[in-house]
Amino acid sequence: CPAGTYSSVGQTACINCPHGKYNEGGSGSCLPCGGGTYIVSPGSVCLECAAGTYLNELGSACFTCRL
């Protein structure tokens, strides 16, 4: 299966990982994105927040840090 998807044992179809989780490909399960990373949509991979930004609790977007 490609990155962002997984396949259960014995299954041939690839399924998108749920929101906030990723799979590099080849594994039978999805893992949560690490700190400072977010995911745009189910089935995609985790992306790093840019310098000067932070991740909100939903893990769907990075926001500019306030000084």
Side-chain angles (χ1 to χ4, degrees), residues 28-67:
S29 62
C30 298
L31 303 170
C33 290
T37 64
Y38 69 102
I39 196 159
V40 177
S41 63
S44 63
V45 295
C46 301
L47 304 171
E48 289 189 27
C49 291
T53 65
Y54 69 96
L55 182 69
N56 69 0
E57 63 264 0
L58 298 176
S60 59
C62 297
F63 296 92
T64 302
C65 295
R66 297 180 187 190
L67 300 176

Side-chain angles (χ1 to χ4, degrees), residues 1-45:
C1 290
T5 66
Y6 72 100
S7 180
S8 298
V9 175
Q11 301 295 316
T12 57
C14 297
I15 302 165
N16 285 345
C17 290
H19 192 74
K21 295 190 176 186
Y22 76 99
N23 185 320
E24 294 292 332
S27 175
S29 62
C30 298
L31 303 170
C33 290
T37 64
Y38 69 102
I39 196 159
V40 177
S41 63
S44 63
V45 295

